[in-house]
Amino acid sequence: MIPVNEPLIGEKEIEYVTDCLRTGWISSAGKYIDRFENEWAAYCGRKYGVAVCNGTVALELAVSVLDLPKGAEVILPSFTIVSCLEAVLRNGLTPVLVDCDPKTYCMDVDDVKRKLTPRTAALMPVHIYGHPVNMGEILALGEEHNLRIIEDAAEAHGAECLLHGRWRRCGSFGDVSCFSFYANKNITTGEGGMVLTDDSSLADRLRSRRNLCFIAKERFLHEDRGWNFRMTNLQAALGCAQLENIEGFIRRKLDMAARYNEGLKSLPLSLPYIEPWAKSSVWMYAVLLDDSVPFKAVAFAEILDKRGVQTRPFFRGLHEQTVYGKMGLFRNVSLPVTERVYRRGLYLPSGQAITVEQIERVIKSIRSVLCQ
Ligand SMILES: *Cc1c(COP(=O)(O)O)cnc(C)c1O
């Protein structure tokens, strides 16, 4: 079976993690935490990095420190992971979902414009499968309507977006930016996440709330509420080693995408599309079955599975999740592009450890299914 994802762990990773174990620095204190925070922030062009235990809590923490008024509206895409919505709901805010672009699967900026109200307080752009949201348009909307921006860059390590004629890395936009370093992301700490910002008071609040709001002047006096969202030195050590090789990791993804592009052309499939203002990192190689194909993505996935190729389905839109329906949310929401791509899309094996031979086998399997 060719796995949908497998990380690449090198000797440096083993050396740094072993260093933590040998020196006893295994919890959330230790030299690798600061180093990983500083180096990741610098890589993304940000001033401050606050490491946390995963990307889901990075989003919850990031929304929390903006201290938005209770019930204020946050606009986010429906085509994303539940973590985005949970960050809004768990902070007592009102989610407003928008549809996605049919080619990049990122939030549809025109739909964002349609859904702005006087109660809109923030936008949460989410870069999907390594392709950036059009941040020029999002930032302009934010300025015009005085909105806070929470950037979810958990799928877009190393991706870039053109802004006023300059390429800028994802993770550098808006008030706060969130990353995940889960095992399938472009660089990994096993589990892990980070919030980036350029605002020193937001950075202070992030650090405090990540760590139960302990304060320096009296250890067990608390003047605010927080969580234990700390990252361990072990995780950060892994992250530091991975970061030393990030250019290599991104090059591997782009090489993988080029091979898939070549091998899968002229099939009834939409291949990943990249806007001229974007440098996608092609985190996952996502394809969409054309309408001429007489089966859905789930059936396609089953056939490929029998041929030894593991795939993953697309996100089911947040507005089509039973749990939120039971809470009375999104009852009359219809987002046709999100609904269609969910039924027609899947992503192919795209992990860092994938080999050229495996890519060729995936291509052969797909051609044998679709060229009948
Ligand atoms: C992976 C991911 C997250 C959550 O990260 P975890 O570390 O798995 O909690 C958040 N947002 C997006 C878009 C993701 O892909």
Side-chain angles (χ1 to χ4, degrees), residues 4 14 18 62 69 83-84 90 94 118 136 138 147 154 191 218 241 259 273 297 299-300 341 346 354 362:
V4 75
I14 293 167
T18 306
S83 311
C84 301
R90 288 176 193 275
T94 305
I138 293 289
L147 308 173
E191 297 280 354
E218 186 183 331
R259 281 180 198 282
Y273 169 82
F300 190 41
V341 301
L346 50 73
I354 197 165
V362 174

Side-chain angles (χ1 to χ4, degrees), residues 260-271 285 287-293 300 348 362-372:
Y260 274 138
N261 284 343
E262 181 58 30
L264 298 174
K265 66 183 179 197
S266 62
L267 289 176
L269 279 181
S270 301
L271 306 181
Y285 194 88
V287 300
L288 210 58
L289 292 168
D290 286 355
D291 290 340
S292 64
V293 177
F300 190 41
L348 306 181
V362 174
I363 291 169
K364 251 178 107 178
S365 302
I366 292 180
R367 294 201 78 90
S368 72
V369 177
L370 293 180
C371 289
Q372 285 167 359

Side-chain angles (χ1 to χ4, degrees), residues 212-270:
L212 293 167
C213 301
F214 287 116
I215 50 181
K217 71 174 182 207
E218 186 183 331
R219 175 66 178 177
F220 290 114
L221 173 67
H222 297 265
E223 293 173 336
D224 188 11
R225 294 175 63 202
W227 297 269
N228 175 357
F229 284 166
R230 301 182 301 256
M231 176 185 269
T232 68
N233 198 46
L234 288 158
Q235 291 165 298
L238 193 47
C240 286
Q242 289 260 300
L243 183 47
E244 288 179 17
N245 190 25
I246 189 160
E247 300 304 336
F249 287 138
I250 290 165
R251 204 175 334 106
R252 288 182 65 85
K253 291 277 178 172
L254 298 180
D255 288 348
M256 167 198 78
R259 281 180 198 282
Y260 274 138
N261 284 343
E262 181 58 30
L264 298 174
K265 66 183 179 197
S266 62
L267 289 176
L269 279 181
S270 301

